[in-house]
Amino acid sequence: MPMASNRMRKMYKYSEFDTAFLAARNAQFRDQVERRIDGSLTEDEFKPLRLMNGLYLQLHAYMLRVAIPYGSLNGAQMRALADISERWDKGYGHFTTRQNIQYNWLALRDVPDMLDALASVGLHAIQTSGNTIRNVTSDPFAGAAADEIGDPRPVAELIRQWSTDHPEFQFLGRKFKIAVIGSKNDRAVIRAHDIGLRLVEQDGAPGFEVIIGGGLGRTPMIGKVIRDFLPRADLLPYLEAVLSVYNLLGRRDNKYKARIKITVHENGLDAIRARVEQQFALLRPGFSGVDQTLLAEIETAFAPPPLRAFSQDRFDAAYKADPVFRAWADTNLTAHKDAGHAIVTISLKAHGETPGDASAAQMRLMADLAERYGYDELRISHEQNVILPHVHRSDLPALHGALKQDGLATANIGLISDIIACPGMDYCALATARSIPIAQQIATRFDELKLEHEIGPLKIKISGCINACGHHHVGHIGILGLDRAGVENYQITLGGDGTADAAIGERAGPGFSAVEIIPAIERLVLGYLDLRDTPDETFLQAYRRLGAAPFKSALYPDLQREKAA
Amino acid sequence: MPLAYAPKVVTASDLLAGDVIYLTADDQWSRDMSAAEVITDEAHAQLRLLHAERQTSRLVGAYLADVSPGLNGPAPTHFREDFRATGPSNYAHGKQQDAQNV
């Protein structure tokens, strides 16, 4: 389909080339699956092929990780995700910290049919695994946020097209993650990515701040600015230069030292910058401007929706009369660039439920509501929630009423029960401990205490192993699950931050057993309530003002008593 | 004195379904750990593992897992094997749900 068909659309639609490429790729994988089943391929031969197509073999079944490009979906796509979950899985999907969706209970023979079903709505699972450039992530509020200088999604789409099946970068030393944002406020944790890009302007000219070498995992590092300002037209050759330098210089002798963060750390930012600039000078002339023509075409696909303008009386009346609606509006809405609209975050963190899971019925409801009230746009956040980026304020009472019908109206965004949790040992073959049940218990406990809103903004992030898919390093309270001599053990980190002031949390002390961890978190949070200056001082602000010591005292009262004795 | 050999079962993932399977004494594969052959001899364990590893068109990733023998058959000794045998613990929708539906 020619690019012109994208005009007046709100998201990118596949071209004829895209459609043909995906069909060929899916046919190729179908053949690979058949050859594995008939014994022509060994598992050692098949494994890298299935991983390139997002297919893992996990603890209980095959798992397919489907890319949601920069977290953007329309209603038809969300409905297709629901249909797939019912036809080939157990009727639900799990939205992840990388804006993907994972299906956990698959049979191998079904996967090629699933991929064809995904392709029919412009989705795929390519490069959601393997040592290659992964799904590009972005701000879930892109195109709607009041604080953005530009919509980062066209750039993310350009990078997606450039990186998909890029012949030079299919066998990198390790996986490579890129995130793009368009505002000063960072809602995509760009400083914890291999490359983070932020749209900026210099003397009225558009460009990017380029950050490299961030990452969590075994060796957490905050990314460093390699370029304050990169002109917009230089983006792809510069990315290609960074990737080329990493591909040659990055270590391949030790997988734990193979990410670009280690390459930057071991060689030094200045040395890496010099090499990148040298490579960039070589590559730049090869980019004749076709990429900019393509970017301009892509931008037409992201035209803002035709926002309506009329009275907010219905919102004002409901806000005044209905305390449940008011609590939800206070917590789950964010300012839109248009004062008549709001950005709605739908919580997938109902107390006691699995963070990030949505049933087929819930996915269909969200698709319907996006079409009815949200200009047919949905986003998935890295915090495992679903966003309706453009909802007129007059529609919010009706939207809230509909969400309540299916357990989607929990008023907890940014609060203690809005927990990021990786799948952990309940599903993941790499995990060393469970994370989901810990999140469930914390949410349930603080719901019982009815303290959630009094505590205020507090981000708890839980990982079930050192790979840190649950982003525990950047949680205000981070929890890392480990296997200590055959028993689950949970380490706590304090003071992490995934925003523009990114910081890696500091380990608090000895770990806790699965039985001890919930009371420990309760002591810590109640301790914070005693420590804060005013009800407006957040956990993170109090931690930064006071340092770790009083929080450790709350966590480890026995150690304090021993010291005092 | 050498340490006693911890009892083992041979376990793997089914190639087609991807779910957890266990080798039985009569060379079948069961989805129920309690039906697995409990192996108490190290040499025999290696032979049974080799036997499993040859079945590349039936399974993936065979290995030996520690168990404790009991009246109802072997039981996992490590929590990872417990979740593999039972299903996820966040809510019942794995093997534990299948067992309820029998």
Side-chain angles (χ1 to χ4, degrees):
Chain A
M1 200 170 291
M3 281 290 182
S5 67
N6 276 316
R7 291 186 198 285
M8 301 311 293
R9 292 181 188 278
K10 297 180 291 294
M11 63 191 304
Y12 180 77
K13 189 173 189 316
Y14 279 4
S15 65
E16 279 181 11
F17 175 85
D18 297 326
T19 305
F21 168 80
L22 198 48
R25 176 75 175 240
N26 286 351
Q28 182 188 50
F29 187 59
R30 184 180 291 276
D31 182 58
Q32 289 163 348
V33 168
E34 285 307 317
R35 286 192 288 146
R36 174 66 185 103
I37 291 171
D38 73 17
S40 305
L41 290 175
T42 67
E43 185 61 22
D44 284 346
E45 291 165 333
F46 180 61
K47 186 177 177 181
L49 302 175
R50 67 170 161 78
L51 288 177
M52 282 178 182
N53 291 283
L55 185 63
Y56 288 73
L57 182 50
Q58 293 285 44
L59 221 51
H60 309 289
Y62 286 96
M63 179 274 278
L64 185 69
R65 179 182 293 155
V66 177
I68 297 174
Y70 31 93
S72 288
L73 288 171
N74 60 28
Q77 289 173 320
M78 182 66 107
R79 208 169 281 112
L81 295 179
D83 293 346
I84 285 168
S85 79
E86 281 186 334
R87 181 162 179 198
W88 290 294
D89 200 289
K90 289 178 182 270
Y92 75 99
H94 177 73
F95 291 103
T96 77
T97 55
R98 298 216 70 256
Q99 299 181 307
N100 297 314
I101 184 170
Q102 294 182 174
Y103 294 106
N104 287 317
W105 300 94
L106 308 182
L108 181 58
R109 275 192 198 283
D110 292 337
V111 176
D113 290 339
M114 290 179 71
L115 292 173
D116 284 346
L118 288 164
S120 72
V121 290
L123 292 170
H124 62 71
I126 297 168
Q127 292 181 206
T128 58
S129 178
N131 292 337
T132 184
I133 301 171
R134 301 288 187 90
N135 182 35
V136 180
T137 56
S138 187
D139 183 349
F141 297 170
D147 59 354
E148 75 179 13
I149 66 163
D151 185 342
R153 289 174 301 159
V155 171
E157 174 59 28
L158 180 72
I159 296 170
R160 188 186 74 84
Q161 295 191 22
W162 161 78
S163 62
T164 299
D165 225 21
H166 193 302
E168 190 178 342
F169 306 133
Q170 291 304 298
F171 298 96
L172 297 168
R174 209 59 186 93
K175 59 188 168 185
F176 202 95
K177 300 174 182 174
I178 302 175
V180 195
I181 60 172
S183 58
K184 251 189 180 161
N185 293 310
D186 182 359
R187 291 175 286 265
V189 207
I190 64 168
R191 284 161 184 77
H193 282 73
D194 297 286
I195 294 181
L197 298 168
R198 183 168 71 87
L199 273 62
V200 293
E201 288 179 346
Q202 191 176 77
D203 302 325
F208 303 92
E209 177 187 54
V210 185
I211 296 163
I212 69 164
L216 300 177
R218 184 174 300 259
T219 315
M221 290 187 185
I222 299 299
K224 301 169 179 67
V225 176
I226 188 169
R227 264 276 200 134
D228 288 326
F229 183 79
L230 179 74
R232 175 182 151 106
D234 291 344
L235 178 64
L236 289 190
Y238 195 83
L239 290 181
E240 203 149 304
V242 173
L243 263 297
S244 300
V245 168
Y246 163 62
N247 208 6
L248 284 173
L249 205 59
R251 290 178 59 171
R252 290 174 187 261
D253 61 322
N254 180 341
K255 73 178 280 196
Y256 301 120
K257 296 187 176 180
R259 295 289 290 271
I260 193 174
K261 61 188 173 185
I262 304 296
T263 315
V264 173
H265 180 71
E266 289 186 344
N267 291 274
L269 181 64
D270 291 340
I272 295 291
R273 182 185 287 123
R275 282 175 177 264
V276 168
E277 293 295 340
Q278 195 177 19
Q279 185 70 8
F280 173 67
L282 289 173
L283 291 170
R284 183 65 184 88
F287 285 76
S288 61
V290 174
D291 56 324
Q292 294 307 298
T293 306
L294 181 59
L295 179 57
E297 286 288 348
I298 291 170
E299 280 179 328
T300 65
F302 291 92
L307 299 177
R308 296 168 295 153
F310 52 90
S311 163
Q312 296 183 44
D313 288 352
R314 274 185 293 180
F315 174 84
D316 294 337
Y319 191 84
K320 194 173 169 189
D322 180 354
V324 176
F325 173 73
R326 187 161 59 244
W328 178 80
D330 286 345
T331 311
N332 293 36
L333 302 183
T334 304
H336 192 281
K337 61 173 69 172
D338 175 71
H341 285 72
I343 301 169
V344 176
T345 300
I346 301 172
S347 173
L348 297 184
K349 316 285 178 63
H351 300 109
E353 298 296 326
T354 300
D357 273 13
S359 69
Q362 288 176 323
M363 285 190 259
R364 287 198 186 96
L365 176 63
M366 290 187 282
D368 291 346
L369 295 174
E371 288 170 349
R372 195 179 314 154
Y373 300 119
Y375 304 90
D376 198 19
E377 287 196 51
L378 299 116
R379 309 281 170 73
I380 309 304
S381 73
H382 83 273
E383 295 188 314
Q384 300 179 284
N385 292 311
V386 176
I387 317 294
L388 300 182
H390 319 282
V391 181
H392 195 278
R393 299 182 82 83
S394 66
D395 290 330
L396 290 168
L399 174 73
H400 178 250
L403 290 171
K404 274 200 296 190
Q405 304 302 314
D406 219 336
L408 289 169
T410 308
N412 64 346
I413 297 304
L415 303 181
I416 193 169
S417 63
D418 184 12
I419 299 170
I420 284 183
C422 73
M425 195 173 275
D426 285 303
Y427 302 93
C428 178
L430 297 176
T432 46
R434 290 171 298 163
S435 50
I436 291 170
I438 304 303
Q440 291 173 299
Q441 291 171 53
I442 291 171
T444 301
R445 178 60 183 150
F446 281 91
D447 189 39
E448 290 166 354
L449 293 172
K450 299 297 172 206
L451 280 175
E452 187 159 38
H453 290 266
E454 186 182 335
I455 294 162
L458 175 52
K459 292 186 186 297
I460 296 182
K461 301 178 193 288
I462 310 174
S463 302
C465 80
I466 194 67
N467 292 314
C469 294
H471 295 186
H472 65 277
H473 295 297
V474 291
H476 303 165
I477 299 172
I479 301 175
L480 167 63
L482 296 168
D483 176 348
R484 287 278 182 259
V487 178
E488 288 171 297
N489 186 271
Y490 294 90
Q491 287 181 358
I492 291 178
T493 49
L494 297 171
D497 184 4
T499 70
D501 301 319
I504 302 297
E506 178 190 353
R507 191 177 157 194
F512 298 90
S513 71
V515 174
E516 295 167 336
I517 185 67
I518 310 302
I521 296 296
E522 186 173 330
R523 284 197 302 277
L524 177 63
V525 174
L526 295 180
Y528 148 69
L529 292 178
D530 288 339
L531 289 165
R532 68 185 179 185
D533 250 354
T534 68
D536 291 335
E537 187 179 45
T538 66
F539 181 93
L540 191 59
Q541 288 166 341
Y543 181 85
R544 286 178 171 169
R545 177 174 60 85
L546 295 165
F551 293 87
K552 289 183 183 178
S553 297
L555 258 180
Y556 302 102
D558 293 343
L559 286 179
Q560 296 307 312
R561 273 194 290 274
E562 282 171 22
K563 273 187 192 168
Chain B
M1 202 168 89
L3 289 173
Y5 184 69
K8 303 277 192 294
V9 296
V10 177
T11 181
S13 297
D14 182 87
L15 172 65
L16 295 179
D19 60 351
V20 179
I21 51 176
Y22 302 95
L23 182 61
T24 66
D26 60 352
D27 284 347
Q28 302 299 305
W29 288 94
S30 172
R31 283 166 169 73
D32 182 358
M33 183 189 248
S34 66
E37 175 189 13
V38 179
I39 307 167
T40 54
D41 176 78
E42 187 170 4
H44 182 57
Q46 291 305 320
L47 287 173
R48 296 299 280 161
L49 181 59
L50 285 171
H51 171 69
E53 287 175 339
R54 280 195 294 269
Q55 300 179 47
T56 54
S57 59
R58 171 76 175 84
L59 55 88
V60 180
Y63 65 95
L64 295 165
D66 286 354
V67 292
S68 59
L71 290 175
N72 297 317
T77 59
H78 190 282
F79 59 91
R80 185 177 194 272
E81 292 305 322
D82 198 5
F83 298 131
R84 286 183 80 238
T86 311
S89 67
N90 49 337
Y91 64 100
H93 64 303
K95 282 187 171 172
Q96 69 272 70
Q97 188 191 37
D98 298 338
Q100 286 166 8
N101 293 336
V102 168

